[in-house]
Amino acid sequence: MDAILRMDKLRVEYPVKQRGATPKVALHGLDLTVNAGEVFGFLGPNGAGKTTTMNVLLGFVQPTSGAAYLFGVDVRQPIARQRIGFLPELTYYYKFLTAEEILRFYAKVFGIPSAEADKRIDDLIKLVELEHARKRPLKSYSKGMQQRVGLAQALINNPDLLILDEPTSGLDPLGRMKVREIIQRLKDEGKTVFFSSHELGEVETVCDRVAIVNQGELKEQGRVSDLMKEHQCDLEKIFLKIVGYQGQL
Amino acid sequence: MNIIFALAGVVVKEMYRRKDFYVLFVMTALLTLLAGSATFFNDPKITGYLKEICLLLIWVATLVIALTSAARQIPAERESRTIFPLLAKPVTRWHVIVGKFLGCWVVAALAVAMFYVFFGAVVAAREHALPVAHYLQAAILHWMALAVVIALAILGSIVFSAPSVNVTISFIVVGGVLTLGEHLNKLASRMEGLSQTLTSIVYFLLPHIEWAFAYRDLLLFNQPLAPWSAVLTAAVYWAAYAAALLIGAWLAFRRKTLTLG
């Protein structure tokens, strides 16, 4: 299988301001591979290193050692991000622009010709069901609507890999269902999806494979069905066991 | 270049959707209209002073527009976290710096053009003459000098964490250059030893945008047109200065840690 996303002994240390203090290690040599066409769930408790991994993959943070590759290109090269779409957990878009304008802006960033961009914008606005609000500035949108614009911008370049950071966080059940449908649709189209989530039921439903990280280390990875068979329990219990939950399971 | 133009387009859109710039423009236009058309005892000296005040007002207004718009661009991207979806695309930090600069510079061009056309129209209505070439030279020099101001504010926005600190320091630096820049050399010639060397170094390091500011005299006292070669040389000098400041901004921004969490 073709590896779309690969991390080789990825280590990230954050400097600590205190004099003489040792740097904080956020990732301890993470090895991970995501193959073409997979929906991959990246799980872990808060502070486990999920966001740091995303930061490295998107080029926001430089790894201390090791390397990460998207489509075989080092993530430090901006061209590595040409074929990816990214949806952040919260909506970070220019609020003075309309949905149509923000999508046109990102289309320009990707160098999509204007006629093709127009068609894609129409299709995406229809996909995320925002036809009625396409000419309204984003500041007038509800949180769910802004998240849908986020999803549309992540798909503007017809990406082969979609990176989603907590895509359903803060959405109502209808919004969650819509995101799940879109992930399923992308999977059917042969796209690769890499996403972090705390919604383990959702992960169980849509993911082919998962990885669980804790304290910057990879604790478990594999097919969801294999893990459940091996541990004789559902994903939530596996997760809790791995992160060291001491209560009644 | 697509990315840079797209980023600049967003800056321009943001500016024309903000109401404070319209307020500043209307206020300056109104004051220019009042001062430019007022006549006191038919004294040409007073009329000249009023024209000078109008041009000073135009300089202050364009400096406010250039500095405040440039100083807030990158901090606003970081504060509202719009920088993350942007940098998650094949966009480099150099694109961000240059795109923001270009957007602010286009806004400055629009402001300079509007103010000079307005001032020219007010003066022409009274004096029944309009030295178009003088106005064109003044506007070009003004706009090129603003390139340095905008680049300085963008560099400041990366070095200083608070936009207000950046705007204040940039205003002091620009104000200092405009009012004291030309005198530093004369001051250095009256000094001796190390202080003379240091003052001369500061003089040669400073971006001499006061040359554009001094061009007002040519408009006010109906002086002959400056040679176009001199205008071009000054424009190239300021362009090189702005480029150096932008490279400095990129070097500072390149390694800045940006984290999602």
Side-chain angles (χ1 to χ4, degrees):
Chain A
M1 276 211 205
D2 298 337
I4 296 281
L5 187 161
R6 205 177 86 229
M7 294 172 220
D8 288 339
K9 297 184 174 48
L10 198 64
R11 183 181 176 87
V12 176
E13 291 175 7
Y14 290 120
V16 179
K17 279 185 183 166
Q18 234 176 339
R19 237 186 188 188
T22 50
K24 182 181 174 270
V25 183
L27 288 178
H28 296 263
L30 198 66
D31 285 306
L32 201 69
T33 303
V34 178
N35 298 316
E38 274 186 330
V39 176
F40 194 95
F42 194 51
L43 315 174
N46 292 334
K50 296 190 305 293
T51 304
T52 299
T53 308
M54 295 261 182
N55 280 327
V56 173
L57 289 177
L58 297 165
F60 304 150
V61 168
Q62 304 285 320
T64 311
S65 64
Y69 303 90
L70 294 171
F71 305 97
V73 180
D74 192 311
V75 292
R76 280 173 280 211
Q77 307 287 328
I79 198 71
R81 300 189 285 278
Q82 183 70 30
R83 290 164 62 195
I84 70 162
F86 168 60
L87 175 69
E89 181 184 356
L90 298 169
T91 52
Y92 307 135
Y93 310 105
Y94 304 108
K95 301 276 184 331
F96 53 89
L97 295 182
T98 65
E100 205 176 294
E101 284 171 339
I102 196 110
L103 294 179
R104 184 152 291 118
F105 164 66
Y106 286 125
K108 275 187 196 162
V109 163
F110 280 106
I112 300 168
S114 160
E116 198 186 328
D118 286 345
K119 194 185 168 305
R120 277 198 207 173
I121 290 166
D122 286 343
D123 291 347
L124 287 170
I125 284 182
K126 210 168 155 190
L127 177 76
V128 297
E129 296 169 4
L130 284 173
E131 293 108 314
H132 63 288
R134 63 186 291 164
K135 303 258 183 220
R136 265 169 46 195
L138 298 188
K139 63 182 169 204
S140 68
Y141 279 26
S142 67
K143 194 184 171 192
M145 287 165 83
Q146 289 189 17
Q147 193 73 341
R148 281 188 269 158
V149 172
L151 200 53
Q153 67 78 30
L155 297 170
I156 191 72
N157 57 329
N158 193 17
D160 293 315
L161 168 66
L162 204 61
I163 299 177
L164 312 172
D165 187 12
E166 309 272 353
T168 55
S169 137
L171 292 184
D172 62 18
L174 198 68
R176 285 174 191 210
M177 178 57 79
K178 190 76 207 163
V179 170
R180 270 205 293 270
E181 274 174 23
I182 292 171
I183 292 175
Q184 190 59 50
R185 189 181 146 164
L186 292 168
K187 186 185 172 182
D188 295 342
E189 286 174 12
K191 310 277 186 195
T192 312
V193 181
F194 177 82
F195 79 103
S196 71
S197 180
H198 286 300
E199 304 290 334
L200 298 178
E202 183 180 277
V203 171
E204 218 174 285
T205 318
V206 298
C207 289
D208 298 310
R209 283 202 306 141
V210 293
I212 302 173
V213 286
N214 193 24
Q215 294 175 336
E217 285 176 23
L218 182 67
K219 296 290 183 189
E220 190 79 76
Q221 72 166 316
R223 298 194 71 80
V224 178
S225 53
D226 293 348
L227 289 177
M228 282 163 49
K229 204 186 278 177
E230 188 188 324
H231 289 266
Q232 294 291 308
C233 56
D234 64 15
L235 197 57
E236 188 172 291
K237 286 188 179 135
I238 300 171
F239 178 87
L240 291 172
K241 214 190 287 180
I242 286 169
V243 302
Y245 178 69
Q246 300 296 317
Q248 186 77 36
L249 288 177
Chain B
M1 283 310 274
N2 267 350
I3 297 173
I4 290 169
F5 289 142
L7 278 161
V10 169
V11 174
V12 175
K13 253 183 201 143
E14 186 194 5
M15 293 301 165
Y16 80 66
R17 284 180 188 169
R18 285 182 60 173
K19 291 186 179 70
D20 41 357
F21 286 98
Y22 291 103
V23 172
L24 185 66
F25 178 74
V26 171
M27 235 172 63
T28 309
L30 211 63
L31 288 169
T32 306
L33 183 68
L34 283 173
S37 52
T39 308
F40 290 96
F41 318 113
N42 283 328
D43 186 343
K45 262 190 187 167
I46 297 176
T47 310
Y49 288 140
L50 288 172
K51 268 170 74 178
E52 193 173 357
I53 289 169
C54 288
L55 284 169
L56 186 67
L57 203 63
I58 289 172
W59 262 90
V60 172
T62 51
L63 280 176
V64 169
I65 290 173
L67 275 177
T68 53
S69 62
R72 58 180 297 283
Q73 287 303 321
I74 291 170
E77 284 274 357
R78 293 175 67 179
E79 202 180 310
S80 63
R81 304 174 76 81
T82 46
I83 194 88
F84 293 111
L86 188 62
L87 291 180
K89 309 214 161 20
V91 173
T92 63
R93 297 189 189 196
W94 173 247
H95 287 136
V96 176
I97 298 271
V98 180
K100 295 291 181 185
F101 166 80
L102 187 63
C104 293
W105 201 35
V106 169
V107 171
L110 295 172
V112 166
M114 279 195 292
F115 285 138
Y116 276 91
V117 166
F118 190 74
F119 177 69
V122 169
V123 173
R126 196 192 16 211
E127 294 177 1
H128 307 292
L130 182 67
V132 176
H134 280 81
Y135 277 88
L136 190 63
Q137 282 192 346
I140 290 171
L141 289 171
H142 191 150
W143 183 49
M144 289 306 296
L146 287 180
V148 178
V149 174
I150 291 166
L152 179 74
I154 286 180
L155 171 64
S157 73
I158 301 201
V159 175
F160 305 109
S161 50
S164 55
V165 174
N166 177 25
V167 170
T168 310
I169 292 176
S170 299
F171 256 119
I172 292 169
V173 171
V174 171
V177 172
L178 289 179
T179 51
L180 305 171
E182 61 179 325
H183 304 296
L184 274 180
N185 207 18
K186 291 171 205 160
L187 193 69
S189 65
R190 280 189 227 134
M191 291 172 168
E192 279 176 8
L194 185 65
S195 53
Q196 184 184 39
T197 313
L198 289 175
T199 312
S200 297
I201 288 172
V202 171
Y203 174 79
F204 286 108
L205 280 179
L206 281 180
H208 290 282
I209 54 172
E210 76 273 11
W211 300 340
F213 193 54
Y215 192 93
R216 290 170 308 142
D217 291 348
L218 271 72
L219 287 180
L220 294 170
F221 305 113
N222 300 320
Q223 297 286 310
L225 199 66
W228 280 99
S229 58
V231 173
L232 184 71
T233 309
V236 170
Y237 163 72
W238 288 320
Y241 218 103
L245 289 169
L246 290 179
I247 290 170
W250 171 68
L251 289 172
F253 191 40
R254 195 168 62 127
R255 295 278 164 200
K256 209 121 200 159
T257 303
L258 299 166
T259 53
L260 274 169

